[in-house]
Amino acid sequence: YRFFLQKIGTSHDMIDLEPDFWGYVRSLGDPRQVPAQVTAADPTDCGSQQNSAAGLAQCLISMAHKYASNTAVGLHLSCFDWQQNTPQCVQDYTHLGAQNADFLVTDVSDRDAGWYAQPAHGGLDKFWTDQKAAAFLNFIKTMSDSVGKPVALWQKIGRASCRERV
């Protein structure tokens, strides 16, 4: 990671720190209690961080600021349960140190809504409605306001996920 950051140097880039990893960490409980060998992996840059997933996140953020000073670094919002559990997501990302990042990142979906609608893929209704879009935007605003960082939205939205079902 240090080598990567040094190669970036003073360029103006954005780093989205591992989208699915933080969701996995959240599934294990409080990120401050999920063990990780942070100080042993990098005593030079991470020696003062706790040996937890939260310490890892904070180390990755601080290293980006140290070695790639013009690069912005953000944690990906992998809150797969956001519809039912936004307050827990806020708490977990606060524990991860999202307030020390430069931004948060989120995505709408990793698949087109038409893919999900196929019986072979569960026959789920993932098509956008005004209500679903408003709820998602409210979640993004809540996360942004809670950690005091802007949110970048990435990944394209396929045509099938934007059109209404007839």
Side-chain angles (χ1 to χ4, degrees), residues 104-123:
L104 299 171
V105 186
T106 194
D107 54 89
V108 176
S109 178
D110 65 343
R111 303 275 193 294
D112 185 276
W115 183 90
Y116 283 109
Q118 295 176 16
H121 302 131

Side-chain angles (χ1 to χ4, degrees), residues 13 40-41 49 131 146:
D13 295 304
Q49 300 294 346
Q131 294 79 18
S146 297

